[in-house]
Amino acid sequence: MDIRKSASWTRRLKLRHLEIFSSLVVAGNQSAAADKLNMTQPALSKWLRELEQDIGAQLFVRGKTLRLTSLGAEFLLFAEHVLGEAENVSEVLQDMRAGRAGRVRIGVLHAVVSDLVPTAILKFRESAPKVRITVVENTLVPLLDALLRRELDVIIGRIQGAVLEGVNAEVLYDEQVVAVVRASHPLRLSARPSWAAAGKFPWLVAPPGTPMRTRMESEFVNAGVPFPDELLESRSVIVNETLLRNADMITLMSKNVARYYTQHGVLTELGLPMTGGLGPMGMYLADEKPRPAVGRFAEIVREIAQQYASK
């Protein structure tokens, strides 16, 4: 007989009933169980009789000690399973309230592949390893659409233009720009490289209208230098890195993105003077009061961003 497939009495069963039954099994007699449960022995005996009547069979063989019948042993397995699941649910809910469980879906802009998001994720997982994390990389418009549909919880990227209604935008820090090249680039030999000299080399650039392309064009205009003759447009992180490592090309990067490549010895900064940056880096949230896990992740992003702002 499968106790879990039995009749309607299971609908009246409560967790308290299973806890009482489990206490009877552990105590081995009604007197000790009644003391532990803060019940009178007659009340406990009455409760047990009614439970057995509902089930239609004895759960214990009475004597100096209580011994489980074969059905009682099956009922114990059922009770342990249900109580265990109830405890698991309680722990999950408690973890969710504390931001240690649940999910966080993160959107990242193509041009913002730096150590901010990975560092935040690693730090977040130290205290919340049960949280399911999803990272989606795209351009801003599709990411914002996904945020409004609640398919994403947070976006990390540049704050661009007017913020859509229903989206909370928060500035984290102003993003600086640097020029980067491979270590063996000829301009690396110059103590003070100029924009005029840089314009004679091929440039790897972002598509027209993007913040990075606008910044590059502004720097040449401000320096009074014609645009380079050789421009190669690419959004691909892998392609760009490979081109820069294998050719005397120059590109502009966010200072925080460039830091990743310079620290790992892949590329190096070229000290071209800059007249401006890329504007504010920020965080987009769909909810003013996000779920605990999302809120905790956002707090960690803010903490790391403060370190970036001070560098």
Side-chain angles (χ1 to χ4, degrees):
M1 176 182 180
D2 188 343
I3 203 75
R4 288 164 292 189
K5 295 181 180 178
S6 292
S8 60
W9 64 268
T10 56
R11 298 191 186 98
R12 300 191 299 275
L13 204 60
K14 297 180 180 179
L15 291 179
R16 178 62 175 165
H17 297 156
L18 301 180
E19 290 170 348
I20 293 172
F21 175 76
S22 180
S23 294
L24 274 168
V25 173
V26 172
N29 64 76
Q30 294 188 39
S31 177
D35 288 341
K36 182 179 179 181
L37 294 165
N38 199 26
M39 297 173 66
T40 64
Q41 187 170 335
L44 181 58
S45 298
K46 181 175 182 292
W47 172 87
L48 180 56
R49 284 196 306 273
E50 290 174 350
L51 178 62
E52 290 177 329
Q53 287 171 3
D54 275 343
I55 295 175
Q58 276 193 311
L59 298 175
F60 292 101
V61 176
R62 271 70 164 176
K64 288 184 178 180
T65 60
L66 295 173
R67 291 185 295 110
L68 287 169
T69 64
S70 59
L71 184 64
E74 186 175 344
F75 188 74
L76 178 61
L77 292 176
F78 166 72
E80 289 175 339
H81 173 78
V82 173
L83 290 172
E85 287 299 309
E87 185 175 350
N88 289 339
V89 169
S90 177
E91 289 178 358
V92 168
L93 290 175
Q94 186 174 352
D95 283 343
M96 291 184 72
R97 285 193 295 268
R100 296 189 300 267
R103 64 182 181 181
V104 177
R105 298 162 299 178
I106 308 161
V108 183
L109 268 67
H110 280 312
V112 191
V113 182
S114 69
D115 57 351
L116 172 60
V117 174
T119 302
I121 289 174
L122 291 174
K123 186 172 181 181
F124 177 69
R125 285 182 58 81
E126 290 176 2
S127 60
K130 298 178 184 177
V131 174
R132 290 178 290 125
I133 296 175
T134 303
V135 179
V136 177
E137 185 178 335
N138 209 330
T139 53
L140 184 59
V141 172
L143 289 178
L144 284 173
D145 288 342
L147 189 71
L148 288 170
R149 293 194 301 268
R150 298 302 193 269
E151 294 171 4
L152 291 175
D153 300 306
V154 58
I155 299 173
I156 309 296
R158 297 191 189 99
I159 304 295
Q160 301 176 19
V163 179
L164 295 176
E165 184 177 352
V167 174
N168 298 279
E170 175 182 337
V171 173
L172 297 173
Y173 57 89
D174 287 326
E175 194 171 22
Q176 300 176 31
V177 178
V178 294
V180 294
V181 294
R182 62 177 177 175
S184 58
H185 195 284
L187 280 184
R188 285 281 294 148
L189 301 176
S190 173
R192 300 182 65 180
S194 67
W195 283 95
K200 297 177 182 178
F201 287 88
W203 274 73
L204 185 59
V205 296
T210 59
M212 192 65 79
R213 178 65 171 268
T214 302
R215 183 73 262 146
M216 171 261 185
E217 292 171 350
S218 297
E219 293 297 343
F220 272 101
V221 170
N222 293 339
V225 175
F227 293 158
D229 293 329
E230 294 184 60
L231 296 179
L232 193 157
E233 293 180 6
S234 171
R235 281 186 180 273
S236 171
V237 174
I238 295 176
V239 169
N240 291 357
E241 179 188 328
T242 303
L243 288 171
L244 289 165
R245 282 192 290 107
N246 292 279
D248 288 334
M249 305 186 80
I250 306 173
T251 195
L252 296 186
M253 281 186 183
S254 155
K255 187 174 182 64
N256 290 310
V257 175
R259 186 182 296 117
Y260 169 83
Y261 290 107
T262 57
Q263 286 177 345
H264 289 80
V266 179
L267 302 170
T268 186
E269 287 189 23
L270 183 64
L272 288 175
M274 297 291 169
T275 60
L278 289 175
M281 174 69 77
M283 178 165 53
Y284 298 88
L285 293 163
D287 299 308
E288 191 172 341
K289 293 183 178 180
R291 299 191 312 275
V294 178
R296 176 59 186 143
F297 177 76
E299 283 298 325
I300 290 174
V301 170
R302 293 184 188 104
E303 292 171 6
I304 297 171
Q306 285 182 352
Q307 299 172 19
Y308 283 8
S310 63
K311 289 179 180 179

